[in-house]
Amino acid sequence: SHGSHLQPVVFKPGTISKLAKVETEPGRMTLERDVTLATLYEIPAILILRHQSGPQTAEVHIHMLNGPGQAPVRSHILRLNLTGRFAINVVDDLILVHHQASKTSQVYDISLSDESDGTVTYHKSVTLPRSLKPTTLPVPGLVEPQSHECELYSPNWVVFQPNIVIDAKLGCLWHIKLCLTTLCSQITDLALCTQLALKRTTGKSVLLQLLLDHILLPKPSLFKLQESFNHINSVYRIWAEAEIQMQTASPVSAPPPSKPPAPPRVLISQSDIYYNILQKLMNNDEHLQNLEWALTCYITSLSEYCIPTELLLNELLIKTLVQRHKFTALMQLLQYGIVADSKPLACLLLSLGNLHPSASQLAMDMLVRLSANEEIQEVLISQGQLLSAFKFSQETATPRKFLQAAENLKDPILFHSMLYCFRSNHQYDNSFLQDERLHSFIKHYRTLFPEKAIGDR
């Protein structure tokens, strides 16, 4: 139970292996209660509480068994900023350090980036020290049952891993559970909360609600919102790449693929953001500004991580910007490729043309970039710009479609011009001989211009 070195031993089916020794504290004996064995993010770890001499406060040194041959490597140090007697629990990969004198607990997450010297990362508590939730025991009474409030951080407490606390005097055993919502409410940094929630088993619903609450603030921090979306999309991108890698065919000579990677604890897709956050903002005109901010930040983050934006989000962004008359912003998003070109989006912009004339032009520009010549032709015809449509697609123009549109517009000059274009082009002149349906247009021409011969050029 006393010593300055620990000898880790690994038991596997059929084998027992000794690992390199771990030095606990030079020149000082280490008590058994100061050493904790735990599993952090699926990696075995040794946590050693070190009581510093002089004015320095205590620290917890964490040796991860992930070196060559599972050799222990000191990778993390938790700065407690306190002295006295401590106990350690691990809940959902969060390290809880209980301090008896102050009757508080501190929470640490070794997955968070912090100060580092290149080998060891130094962590501080993610929030201020807080007490565990009080608990009571029912006590039989003469008239009615009473309750006895249990003493927290009692000297009679005995701690077992991962999350068990026993009060030997009371004869009670408790399991410590994490209330992630309460923990996040104590952290003002949205990006830090996002990183914390992404690693927790119950973090998805908490994180989505956290983002919604932040977006609904009168003046939300867009920088922190963007940073949070970046953390979310970084996890999604890594998962998507792993999925693609597993589905990619490999040569016969290649070694068999390893087992599929475990999915992340919290995976937030574009559908999750749409239905849990954006849809709740759509139904209230007072939140249009907040909706625009959220959409712009999220789609920008998707673009940074090269994740294709789903049509649902692009459509919502365009509708929101048009509603708020932000056509300059919409034009910039389209020009810089934040909103990807697609035919459905172009059709949406065309339908919004009655709200602002620039929407139609943005749609036409998008169709040109997509080389959607047939769609451009249809749009120009529907707008009555028959000559422009004919010039745009002379080789693929259909005489009957153009002449019918010209006849419907009841513009004799336009009808004359369209018929002249087709009759003067040898590629289409034979169509009038082969397609009897075009004869009706010649008859219509004669009724409009009886003094002109149909063969006139």
Side-chain angles (χ1 to χ4, degrees):
S1 61
H2 291 73
S4 59
H5 289 83
L6 294 177
Q7 176 66 70
V9 179
V10 176
F11 294 88
K12 292 183 179 180
T15 61
I16 300 177
S17 305
K18 285 187 176 181
L19 304 181
K21 290 184 178 181
V22 177
E23 186 177 18
T24 57
E25 197 165 356
R28 179 181 293 184
M29 294 295 185
T30 299
L31 299 176
E32 181 181 352
R33 69 187 183 196
D34 292 337
V35 179
T36 302
L37 301 180
T39 300
L40 300 172
Y41 296 104
E42 301 182 358
I43 300 175
I46 302 171
L47 288 71
I48 303 173
L49 176 64
R50 287 196 172 185
H51 301 274
Q52 307 292 334
S53 58
Q56 295 180 331
T57 57
E59 296 177 341
V60 175
H61 291 216
I62 302 177
H63 300 256
M64 308 296 290
L65 302 185
N66 59 353
Q70 280 193 302
V73 178
R74 190 179 69 166
S75 307
H76 306 274
I77 292 179
L78 312 182
R79 289 174 169 168
L80 305 183
N81 297 320
L82 293 168
T83 58
R85 189 174 178 182
F86 299 90
I88 295 175
N89 280 120
V90 175
V91 181
D92 204 5
D93 287 325
L94 289 176
I95 302 171
L96 274 61
V97 181
H98 312 295
H99 185 232
Q100 187 180 48
S102 64
K103 296 185 181 297
T104 58
S105 299
Q106 299 184 69
V107 181
Y108 296 85
D109 186 354
I110 64 169
S111 72
L112 299 177
S113 57
D114 217 318
E115 177 188 347
S116 175
D117 60 8
T119 304
V120 177
T121 303
Y122 299 85
H123 299 272
K124 57 181 179 293
S125 177
V126 297
T127 184
L128 295 175
R130 289 180 60 86
S131 172
L132 296 173
K133 182 180 178 180
T135 183
T136 58
L137 289 176
V139 178
L142 295 175
V143 180
E144 59 183 17
Q146 299 178 352
S147 61
H148 170 73
E149 186 170 343
C150 301
E151 180 187 359
L152 298 180
Y153 305 92
S154 165
N156 303 310
W157 274 17
V158 182
V159 172
F160 293 93
Q161 298 310 312
N163 62 337
I164 297 174
V165 174
I166 295 177
D167 191 315
K169 185 176 180 180
L170 288 177
C172 294
L173 181 150
W174 297 283
H175 288 87
I176 298 178
K177 294 184 178 179
L178 175 67
C179 183
L180 187 58
T181 303
T182 304
L183 177 62
C184 288
S185 68
Q186 306 300 319
I187 304 172
T188 57
D189 190 331
L190 178 65
L192 179 60
C193 282
T194 301
Q195 290 178 277
L196 197 71
L198 284 170
K199 298 289 187 179
R200 310 282 79 82
T201 52
T202 59
K204 185 170 183 175
S205 59
V206 174
L207 179 53
L208 290 170
Q209 185 61 47
L210 192 70
L211 291 170
L212 178 60
D213 293 342
H214 183 82
I215 292 168
L216 287 173
L217 293 175
K219 291 185 178 180
S221 170
L222 300 185
F223 174 77
K224 286 297 180 182
L225 184 61
Q226 176 84 44
E227 193 176 349
S228 295
F229 284 142
N230 286 346
H231 290 306
I232 291 170
N233 290 326
S234 174
V235 172
Y236 187 88
R237 173 74 183 183
I238 294 171
W239 171 82
E241 287 180 344
E243 286 292 305
I244 293 172
Q245 187 69 28
M246 290 299 299
Q247 297 172 9
T248 303
S250 56
V252 179
S253 58
S258 58
K259 64 178 182 179
R265 293 184 180 182
V266 175
L267 184 68
I268 296 181
S269 65
Q270 297 179 50
S271 297
D272 294 323
I273 295 292
Y274 181 85
Y275 290 108
N276 292 280
I277 297 178
L278 303 178
Q279 199 173 56
K280 295 179 180 180
L281 301 173
M282 292 162 48
N283 303 325
N284 193 331
D285 291 341
E286 296 179 0
H287 297 152
L288 279 180
Q289 173 73 76
N290 305 71
L291 177 59
E292 178 195 337
W293 288 335
L295 275 166
T296 305
C297 287
Y298 185 58
I299 293 177
T300 302
S301 177
L302 290 172
S303 177
E304 288 182 7
Y305 283 88
C306 301
I307 301 173
T309 307
E310 293 180 4
L311 180 62
L312 207 62
L313 294 177
N314 280 332
E315 286 183 345
L316 181 57
L317 176 60
I318 289 175
K319 289 178 181 177
T320 304
L321 291 175
V322 170
Q323 277 183 280
R324 304 198 69 246
H325 303 286
K326 294 288 190 73
F327 291 97
T328 303
L330 177 57
M331 191 178 302
Q332 290 174 342
L333 291 174
L334 292 170
Q335 287 177 342
Y336 290 105
I338 302 299
V339 176
D341 294 339
S342 70
K343 292 181 181 179
L345 283 185
C347 294
L348 174 62
L349 286 169
L350 286 170
S351 67
L352 298 172
N354 60 331
L355 297 177
H356 198 281
S358 65
S360 298
Q361 187 57 50
L362 289 173
M364 294 299 291
D365 293 341
M366 184 179 290
L367 290 173
V368 170
R369 291 194 294 270
L370 292 169
S371 300
N373 295 340
E374 185 176 344
E375 286 78 6
I376 294 173
Q377 182 188 112
E378 293 293 337
V379 171
L380 292 174
I381 291 175
S382 67
Q383 294 176 348
Q385 302 181 46
L386 301 184
L387 293 176
S388 298
F390 179 74
K391 292 177 182 178
F392 191 84
S393 53
Q394 289 189 21
E395 297 181 358
T396 59
T398 305
R400 185 166 173 266
K401 178 191 295 185
F402 279 81
L403 292 172
Q404 185 65 59
E407 182 179 344
N408 294 339
L409 290 172
K410 302 184 185 306
D411 185 341
I413 303 301
L414 179 60
F415 187 84
H416 177 277
S417 300
M418 288 309 309
L419 188 61
Y420 177 83
C421 288
F422 286 113
R423 294 303 301 273
S424 61
N425 190 320
H426 296 292
Q427 178 182 349
Y428 298 106
D429 197 23
N430 293 331
S431 300
F432 288 86
L433 300 175
Q434 299 171 0
D435 191 349
E436 295 181 356
R437 293 175 297 179
L438 297 177
H439 295 172
S440 62
F441 298 111
I442 297 176
K443 293 179 181 178
H444 179 66
Y445 177 85
R446 286 172 176 164
T447 60
L448 294 175
F449 305 98
E451 71 282 0
K452 285 184 174 286
I454 193 62
D456 290 348
R457 296 287 186 262

